[in-house]
Short mmCIF file of all heavy atoms in Angstrom, two decimals:
data_model
loop_
_atom_site.label_atom_id
_atom_site.label_comp_id
_atom_site.label_asym_id
_atom_site.label_seq_id
_atom_site.Cartn_x
_atom_site.Cartn_y
_atom_site.Cartn_z
N TYR A 21 0.84 -1.19 0.00
CA TYR A 21 0.00 0.00 0.00
C TYR A 21 0.88 1.25 0.00
O TYR A 21 1.86 1.34 0.75
CB TYR A 21 -0.92 0.03 1.23
CG TYR A 21 -1.84 1.22 1.23
CD1 TYR A 21 -2.94 1.28 0.38
CD2 TYR A 21 -1.60 2.30 2.07
CE1 TYR A 21 -3.79 2.38 0.36
CE2 TYR A 21 -2.44 3.41 2.07
CZ TYR A 21 -3.53 3.44 1.21
OH TYR A 21 -4.35 4.54 1.20
N ILE A 22 0.52 2.20 -0.86
CA ILE A 22 1.24 3.46 -0.96
C ILE A 22 0.24 4.61 -0.88
O ILE A 22 -0.76 4.63 -1.62
CB ILE A 22 2.02 3.57 -2.29
CG1 ILE A 22 3.00 2.41 -2.44
CG2 ILE A 22 2.77 4.89 -2.38
CD1 ILE A 22 3.66 2.34 -3.80
N ASP A 23 0.50 5.54 0.02
CA ASP A 23 -0.34 6.73 0.16
C ASP A 23 0.56 7.95 0.08
O ASP A 23 1.57 8.03 0.80
CB ASP A 23 -1.10 6.70 1.49
CG ASP A 23 -1.94 7.95 1.68
OD1 ASP A 23 -2.94 8.10 0.96
OD2 ASP A 23 -1.58 8.79 2.52
N ALA A 24 0.23 8.91 -0.79
CA ALA A 24 1.10 10.07 -0.95
C ALA A 24 0.27 11.32 -1.23
O ALA A 24 -0.78 11.26 -1.87
CB ALA A 24 2.08 9.85 -2.10
N ASP A 25 0.76 12.45 -0.72
CA ASP A 25 0.16 13.76 -0.96
C ASP A 25 1.28 14.76 -1.13
O ASP A 25 2.37 14.60 -0.58
CB ASP A 25 -0.73 14.19 0.22
CG ASP A 25 -2.08 13.52 0.18
OD1 ASP A 25 -2.91 13.89 -0.68
OD2 ASP A 25 -2.30 12.61 1.01
N GLY A 26 0.98 15.82 -1.88
CA GLY A 26 1.99 16.86 -2.03
C GLY A 26 1.56 17.93 -2.99
O GLY A 26 0.49 17.86 -3.61
N SER A 27 2.41 18.95 -3.11
CA SER A 27 2.15 20.07 -4.02
C SER A 27 3.44 20.43 -4.74
O SER A 27 4.52 20.45 -4.13
CB SER A 27 1.63 21.29 -3.26
OG SER A 27 0.37 21.01 -2.68
N LEU A 28 3.33 20.72 -6.04
CA LEU A 28 4.47 21.14 -6.86
C LEU A 28 4.05 22.36 -7.66
O LEU A 28 2.90 22.46 -8.09
CB LEU A 28 4.90 20.02 -7.81
CG LEU A 28 5.28 18.68 -7.18
CD1 LEU A 28 5.45 17.63 -8.26
CD2 LEU A 28 6.56 18.81 -6.37
N ASP A 29 5.00 23.28 -7.87
CA ASP A 29 4.64 24.46 -8.66
C ASP A 29 4.46 24.10 -10.14
O ASP A 29 3.72 24.78 -10.85
CB ASP A 29 5.69 25.56 -8.49
CG ASP A 29 7.08 25.13 -8.98
OD1 ASP A 29 7.31 23.91 -9.06
OD2 ASP A 29 7.91 26.01 -9.25
N ARG A 30 5.10 23.04 -10.59
CA ARG A 30 4.95 22.56 -11.97
C ARG A 30 5.40 21.12 -12.01
O ARG A 30 6.26 20.69 -11.26
CB ARG A 30 5.76 23.41 -12.94
CG ARG A 30 7.19 23.60 -12.53
CD ARG A 30 7.86 24.77 -13.22
NE ARG A 30 8.22 24.44 -14.59
CZ ARG A 30 8.75 25.31 -15.44
NH1 ARG A 30 8.93 26.56 -15.07
NH2 ARG A 30 9.08 24.96 -16.66
N LEU A 31 4.83 20.34 -12.92
CA LEU A 31 5.17 18.92 -13.01
C LEU A 31 6.48 18.69 -13.74
O LEU A 31 7.15 17.69 -13.50
CB LEU A 31 4.04 18.15 -13.71
CG LEU A 31 2.67 18.18 -13.01
CD1 LEU A 31 1.66 17.38 -13.81
CD2 LEU A 31 2.77 17.64 -11.60
N ARG A 32 6.85 19.59 -14.63
CA ARG A 32 8.10 19.46 -15.36
C ARG A 32 9.15 20.38 -14.74
O ARG A 32 8.98 21.58 -14.67
CB ARG A 32 7.89 19.83 -16.83
CG ARG A 32 9.14 19.68 -17.68
CD ARG A 32 8.87 20.04 -19.12
NE ARG A 32 10.06 19.88 -19.94
CZ ARG A 32 10.12 20.16 -21.24
NH1 ARG A 32 9.05 20.62 -21.86
NH2 ARG A 32 11.25 20.01 -21.91
N LYS A 33 10.24 19.77 -14.25
CA LYS A 33 11.32 20.51 -13.60
C LYS A 33 10.79 21.45 -12.51
O LYS A 33 10.94 22.66 -12.59
CB LYS A 33 12.13 21.29 -14.62
CG LYS A 33 12.85 20.43 -15.64
CD LYS A 33 13.69 21.26 -16.60
CE LYS A 33 14.43 20.38 -17.60
NZ LYS A 33 15.25 21.18 -18.55
N PRO A 34 10.13 20.90 -11.47
CA PRO A 34 9.58 21.77 -10.42
C PRO A 34 10.70 22.48 -9.66
O PRO A 34 11.80 21.98 -9.52
CB PRO A 34 8.85 20.77 -9.52
CG PRO A 34 9.52 19.47 -9.75
CD PRO A 34 9.91 19.48 -11.20
N SER A 35 10.39 23.68 -9.17
CA SER A 35 11.37 24.47 -8.42
C SER A 35 11.01 24.61 -6.94
O SER A 35 11.86 24.99 -6.13
CB SER A 35 11.50 25.87 -9.05
OG SER A 35 10.26 26.54 -9.00
N ARG A 36 9.78 24.29 -6.57
CA ARG A 36 9.42 24.30 -5.16
C ARG A 36 8.22 23.38 -4.94
O ARG A 36 7.40 23.17 -5.84
CB ARG A 36 9.09 25.71 -4.67
CG ARG A 36 7.96 26.40 -5.40
CD ARG A 36 7.84 27.85 -4.99
NE ARG A 36 6.82 28.54 -5.78
CZ ARG A 36 5.55 28.65 -5.43
NH1 ARG A 36 5.12 28.08 -4.30
NH2 ARG A 36 4.71 29.30 -6.19
N GLY A 37 8.16 22.84 -3.75
CA GLY A 37 7.05 21.96 -3.43
C GLY A 37 7.31 21.15 -2.18
O GLY A 37 8.35 21.28 -1.52
N ASP A 38 6.36 20.30 -1.83
CA ASP A 38 6.49 19.41 -0.68
C ASP A 38 5.75 18.12 -0.98
O ASP A 38 4.74 18.11 -1.68
CB ASP A 38 5.93 20.07 0.59
CG ASP A 38 4.44 20.37 0.46
OD1 ASP A 38 3.62 19.50 0.82
OD2 ASP A 38 4.09 21.47 -0.03
N LEU A 39 6.30 17.02 -0.49
CA LEU A 39 5.74 15.70 -0.71
C LEU A 39 5.78 14.89 0.59
O LEU A 39 6.74 15.01 1.36
CB LEU A 39 6.50 14.94 -1.79
CG LEU A 39 6.46 15.49 -3.22
CD1 LEU A 39 7.47 14.75 -4.09
CD2 LEU A 39 5.06 15.37 -3.81
N ARG A 40 4.75 14.08 0.81
CA ARG A 40 4.73 13.14 1.93
C ARG A 40 4.23 11.81 1.41
O ARG A 40 3.24 11.75 0.68
CB ARG A 40 3.78 13.64 3.03
CG ARG A 40 3.69 12.70 4.23
CD ARG A 40 2.41 12.89 4.99
NE ARG A 40 1.24 12.66 4.16
CZ ARG A 40 0.75 11.45 3.89
NH1 ARG A 40 1.37 10.35 4.34
NH2 ARG A 40 -0.33 11.32 3.13
N ALA A 41 4.93 10.75 1.74
CA ALA A 41 4.55 9.42 1.25
C ALA A 41 4.70 8.39 2.36
O ALA A 41 5.63 8.46 3.17
CB ALA A 41 5.41 9.03 0.05
N GLN A 42 3.79 7.44 2.38
CA GLN A 42 3.84 6.33 3.32
C GLN A 42 3.62 5.03 2.55
O GLN A 42 2.77 4.96 1.68
CB GLN A 42 2.76 6.48 4.40
CG GLN A 42 2.80 5.38 5.45
CD GLN A 42 1.77 5.59 6.54
OE1 GLN A 42 0.96 6.50 6.46
NE2 GLN A 42 1.80 4.75 7.57
N ALA A 43 4.43 4.03 2.85
CA ALA A 43 4.34 2.74 2.16
C ALA A 43 4.46 1.62 3.17
O ALA A 43 5.23 1.69 4.13
CB ALA A 43 5.43 2.62 1.10
N SER A 44 3.70 0.56 2.96
CA SER A 44 3.78 -0.64 3.82
C SER A 44 3.55 -1.86 2.94
O SER A 44 2.84 -1.80 1.93
CB SER A 44 2.72 -0.59 4.93
OG SER A 44 1.41 -0.50 4.37
N GLY A 45 4.20 -2.95 3.30
CA GLY A 45 4.07 -4.16 2.51
C GLY A 45 4.62 -5.38 3.23
O GLY A 45 5.18 -5.27 4.33
N PRO A 46 4.48 -6.54 2.61
CA PRO A 46 4.84 -7.80 3.28
C PRO A 46 6.30 -8.20 3.13
O PRO A 46 6.78 -9.03 3.91
CB PRO A 46 3.93 -8.81 2.60
CG PRO A 46 3.77 -8.28 1.21
CD PRO A 46 3.80 -6.78 1.34
N ASP A 47 7.04 -7.65 2.14
CA ASP A 47 8.38 -8.18 1.86
C ASP A 47 9.28 -7.05 1.35
O ASP A 47 9.23 -6.69 0.18
CB ASP A 47 8.29 -9.30 0.82
CG ASP A 47 9.60 -10.08 0.70
OD1 ASP A 47 10.64 -9.54 1.08
OD2 ASP A 47 9.57 -11.21 0.20
N LEU A 48 10.13 -6.53 2.22
CA LEU A 48 11.03 -5.44 1.85
C LEU A 48 12.09 -5.90 0.85
O LEU A 48 12.46 -5.16 -0.06
CB LEU A 48 11.70 -4.87 3.10
CG LEU A 48 12.66 -3.69 2.88
CD1 LEU A 48 11.92 -2.51 2.26
CD2 LEU A 48 13.33 -3.29 4.19
N ALA A 49 12.57 -7.13 0.99
CA ALA A 49 13.60 -7.64 0.09
C ALA A 49 13.08 -7.73 -1.34
O ALA A 49 13.79 -7.39 -2.30
CB ALA A 49 14.09 -9.00 0.56
N ALA A 50 11.83 -8.21 -1.51
CA ALA A 50 11.25 -8.31 -2.85
C ALA A 50 11.04 -6.93 -3.46
O ALA A 50 11.27 -6.73 -4.66
CB ALA A 50 9.92 -9.07 -2.79
N LEU A 51 10.62 -5.96 -2.66
CA LEU A 51 10.45 -4.60 -3.16
C LEU A 51 11.79 -4.01 -3.59
O LEU A 51 11.90 -3.38 -4.65
CB LEU A 51 9.81 -3.72 -2.09
CG LEU A 51 9.58 -2.26 -2.47
CD1 LEU A 51 8.59 -2.15 -3.62
CD2 LEU A 51 9.07 -1.45 -1.27
N GLY A 52 12.83 -4.23 -2.79
CA GLY A 52 14.16 -3.74 -3.14
C GLY A 52 14.68 -4.37 -4.42
O GLY A 52 15.30 -3.70 -5.25
N ALA A 53 14.42 -5.67 -4.59
CA ALA A 53 14.88 -6.37 -5.80
C ALA A 53 14.24 -5.80 -7.05
O ALA A 53 14.86 -5.76 -8.12
CB ALA A 53 14.58 -7.86 -5.69
N ALA A 54 12.99 -5.30 -6.93
CA ALA A 54 12.32 -4.71 -8.08
C ALA A 54 13.01 -3.44 -8.54
O ALA A 54 12.93 -3.07 -9.72
CB ALA A 54 10.86 -4.40 -7.73
N PHE A 55 13.74 -2.79 -7.62
CA PHE A 55 14.47 -1.56 -7.96
C PHE A 55 15.98 -1.78 -8.02
O PHE A 55 16.75 -0.83 -8.03
CB PHE A 55 14.16 -0.46 -6.94
CG PHE A 55 12.73 0.02 -6.99
CD1 PHE A 55 11.77 -0.52 -6.16
CD2 PHE A 55 12.37 1.00 -7.89
CE1 PHE A 55 10.46 -0.08 -6.21
CE2 PHE A 55 11.05 1.45 -7.96
CZ PHE A 55 10.09 0.91 -7.11
N GLY A 56 16.40 -3.04 -8.03
CA GLY A 56 17.81 -3.36 -8.18
C GLY A 56 18.61 -3.26 -6.90
O GLY A 56 19.84 -3.21 -6.92
N ALA A 57 17.94 -3.22 -5.74
CA ALA A 57 18.63 -3.14 -4.45
C ALA A 57 18.65 -4.52 -3.80
O ALA A 57 17.64 -5.21 -3.75
CB ALA A 57 17.94 -2.14 -3.53
N SER A 58 19.83 -4.93 -3.33
CA SER A 58 19.97 -6.24 -2.70
C SER A 58 20.40 -6.09 -1.25
O SER A 58 20.79 -5.01 -0.80
CB SER A 58 20.99 -7.09 -3.47
OG SER A 58 22.26 -6.44 -3.49
N GLY A 59 20.33 -7.20 -0.50
CA GLY A 59 20.79 -7.19 0.89
C GLY A 59 19.77 -6.72 1.88
O GLY A 59 20.09 -6.54 3.07
N LEU A 60 18.50 -6.52 1.45
CA LEU A 60 17.46 -6.08 2.37
C LEU A 60 16.80 -7.28 3.06
O LEU A 60 16.84 -8.40 2.56
CB LEU A 60 16.40 -5.27 1.62
CG LEU A 60 16.92 -4.00 0.92
CD1 LEU A 60 15.81 -3.32 0.15
CD2 LEU A 60 17.54 -3.04 1.93
N VAL A 61 16.21 -7.03 4.20
CA VAL A 61 15.60 -8.09 5.00
C VAL A 61 14.24 -8.48 4.41
O VAL A 61 13.42 -7.60 4.11
CB VAL A 61 15.44 -7.64 6.46
CG1 VAL A 61 14.79 -8.75 7.28
CG2 VAL A 61 16.78 -7.26 7.05
N ALA A 62 14.00 -9.77 4.27
CA ALA A 62 12.73 -10.25 3.74
C ALA A 62 11.69 -10.29 4.85
O ALA A 62 11.36 -11.34 5.39
CB ALA A 62 12.92 -11.64 3.12
N SER A 63 11.16 -9.14 5.22
CA SER A 63 10.19 -9.03 6.30
C SER A 63 9.23 -7.89 5.99
O SER A 63 9.51 -7.03 5.14
CB SER A 63 10.90 -8.77 7.62
OG SER A 63 11.59 -7.54 7.59
N PRO A 64 8.07 -7.84 6.67
CA PRO A 64 7.13 -6.74 6.47
C PRO A 64 7.78 -5.40 6.82
O PRO A 64 8.70 -5.33 7.62
CB PRO A 64 5.98 -7.08 7.43
CG PRO A 64 6.09 -8.55 7.64
CD PRO A 64 7.55 -8.87 7.61
N PHE A 65 7.27 -4.32 6.20
CA PHE A 65 7.86 -3.01 6.44
C PHE A 65 6.77 -1.94 6.46
O PHE A 65 5.68 -2.12 5.91
CB PHE A 65 8.89 -2.68 5.36
CG PHE A 65 8.30 -2.53 3.98
CD1 PHE A 65 7.92 -1.29 3.49
CD2 PHE A 65 8.12 -3.64 3.17
CE1 PHE A 65 7.37 -1.16 2.23
CE2 PHE A 65 7.58 -3.51 1.91
CZ PHE A 65 7.20 -2.28 1.43
N ASP A 66 7.08 -0.83 7.09
CA ASP A 66 6.20 0.34 7.13
C ASP A 66 7.10 1.56 7.23
O ASP A 66 7.86 1.70 8.19
CB ASP A 66 5.27 0.26 8.35
CG ASP A 66 4.18 1.33 8.29
OD1 ASP A 66 4.31 2.25 7.47
OD2 ASP A 66 3.22 1.25 9.07
N THR A 67 7.08 2.40 6.20
CA THR A 67 8.00 3.54 6.18
C THR A 67 7.28 4.81 5.75
O THR A 67 6.27 4.76 5.05
CB THR A 67 9.16 3.26 5.21
OG1 THR A 67 10.09 4.34 5.26
CG2 THR A 67 8.66 3.10 3.79
N GLU A 68 7.80 5.94 6.19
CA GLU A 68 7.21 7.23 5.85
C GLU A 68 8.33 8.19 5.46
O GLU A 68 9.38 8.23 6.10
CB GLU A 68 6.40 7.80 7.00
CG GLU A 68 5.69 9.10 6.65
CD GLU A 68 4.74 9.55 7.74
OE1 GLU A 68 4.39 8.71 8.59
OE2 GLU A 68 4.34 10.73 7.72
#
């Protein structure tokens, strides 16, 4: 699950803004592997 909110002055090459995102899931290692990151723990995660 991913929940995010924020504001940007423009979508292309923004110069100011703020973002907040929260993500939770069952397997951090599998999520990392999808982005080419290895060595992460295969356990549930919750991050903000």
Side-chain angles (χ1 to χ4, degrees):
Y21 182 74
I22 303 172
D23 178 69
D25 281 288
S27 296
L28 303 170
D29 62 339
R30 51 199 283 176
L31 298 180
R32 182 179 180 182
K33 296 182 179 180
S35 61
R36 59 188 175 92
D38 62 90
L39 295 170
R40 179 203 59 81
Q42 183 177 5
S44 59
D47 192 339
L48 181 60
L51 179 64
F55 293 94
S58 59
L60 300 177
V61 179
S63 63
F65 65 93
D66 190 347
T67 184
E68 184 172 342

